Amino acid sequence: MNMVKPIQVNETETLGFANLYRTGRQAPVWEQALVTIWFFVTYLPLDGVTPIRYLLVLYFLGITAMYYRDIVPVVLKSWPLFLLPIFGFLSFMWSDYPSDAIRAGVLMLLTPLTIVVIGARLNTRQALRCLMFAGMITTIFAIPTISTFSQGGPYGMGAKNLFAIQMLFAMLLCLTTALNQKEFLWVRLLALPFVPVCFVFQYLAHSATSLVFAVVGIVGLLGVRYFWISLGQIRHLRTSLLMATVGIALTIAIVFLSMPENTMMNDFLGLLGKDGTFSGRSAIWRQAELLSHEYPIAGVGLEGFWQYDVGAAQTINENDFKPFGTKLTFHNSFWEVRVHLGYVGYAMFLLILGWCLYRTVLTWFRAPTMDSSALLITAVIIFTSTFTESYLWGTFNTLVNLFYFGAITTLGAGERKFEGRVPITVRETT
């Protein structure tokens, strides 16, 4: 509540009005359970759950129709998320595989719609709790495959990075819940043991990059919980400290970059077990660059490249020792967009990135809670991963869910709404 126009009644009492706000509509338990199931079937793509995915998509469409007065305004406010999917759907007109392009375009459209529905129906804490439960269930499902974590575990051969980053987000959400004093005690106690378990599983995946993200995430959450939130009691101290930190970081970066024969980047990659080619990704990026020059404006269309009869795609498979017809990725979300949807789609993708990061950071500045801090940290991790992975180009996956939800959480059920003014009396005590 924000007090306005106080009136001094006597030496110890002040009469005034306060602005009353309501935050966070509560969704029923059954709805949270359905959202948890949805997050789980998109967290871990098990065999035989496709019918469940279709049924849940129908559920989201039904909820949209039933509560259109609540959901449609959030959709309109989230318009940047839908431009790229719409353009991608229209690419069936120039894609060499129109039926595949239509299917991929529909999935691209449904991906932000499901997140908007969840954001319109569940508040921030409830949605993150559901996603955390999905990560917990995935962790339990992964136990029988513990001997194959370094190959991908439950996600299959060659998917160790995906498994590691999924365990990373499960760990960060569990840590956020364990540190959140506003969460139910039984939920905090349930989440606590999963923090070290998920970290160990991530370590066993032998993904050095995700381990760096894990350290940064843990330090960030602990710093917010025990340091940053406390600084809010001193006016303008947070802003001053943040500006000073950014200034120091930029100064250090300028000094290091201006040093002759700087090998720090190669040294850092060496510590992570990488090299200047990023495990061979640079060769694939060169192929993507050449292809993007051939179709610069609108690209080849959705599903227009990774096909069995596309020579360039099969050449990449052969050079990467992959079976003929394998559908790879460019391991870079930017090149995925450039190749498939050209500069037009690229501009729309940059709009999505900028809009999501801006709204997530703005939400955190306005209310630096544990929930908003978790969304900010995960958004930074996801954005960083776009340079070496194609997760944000995908549909119905955990990274897209988190990245989009961080931007729209305060547009729906988590929105801070003005209810009116109420009279209050403030009494001073010695």
Side-chain angles (χ1 to χ4, degrees), residues 119-245:
R121 299 292 300 165
L122 277 67
N123 61 43
T124 307
R125 180 67 255 146
Q126 289 176 326
L128 291 182
R129 187 190 303 144
C130 293
L131 187 56
M132 180 194 69
F133 285 152
M136 289 178 173
I137 300 171
T138 301
T139 304
I140 296 173
F141 267 79
I143 293 176
T145 62
I146 190 170
S147 61
T148 62
F149 281 177
S150 59
Q151 286 82 41
Y155 291 87
M157 294 296 294
K160 71 169 187 175
N161 290 331
L162 177 59
F163 170 70
I165 204 164
Q166 297 285 52
M167 289 295 98
L168 166 66
F169 290 125
M171 181 203 66
L172 293 178
L173 291 174
C174 288
L175 179 60
T176 301
T177 300
L179 295 174
N180 193 349
Q181 294 180 323
K182 296 182 180 179
E183 182 58 277
F184 298 118
L185 180 60
W186 69 269
V187 178
R188 297 177 66 187
L189 294 176
L190 181 64
L192 186 58
F194 279 89
V195 176
V197 171
C198 292
F199 184 83
V200 171
F201 282 13
Q202 181 187 357
Y203 175 78
L204 293 177
H206 297 165
S207 177
T209 305
S210 64
L211 284 177
V212 173
F213 287 150
V215 173
V216 172
I218 292 173
V219 172
L221 289 174
L222 292 175
V224 168
R225 172 62 181 84
Y226 295 107
F227 180 69
W228 190 260
I229 293 179
S230 301
L231 291 180
Q233 300 175 2
I234 304 176
R235 191 177 184 182
H236 301 311
L237 183 57
R238 284 175 176 167
T239 304
S240 302
L241 182 62
L242 184 62
M243 292 177 64
T245 302

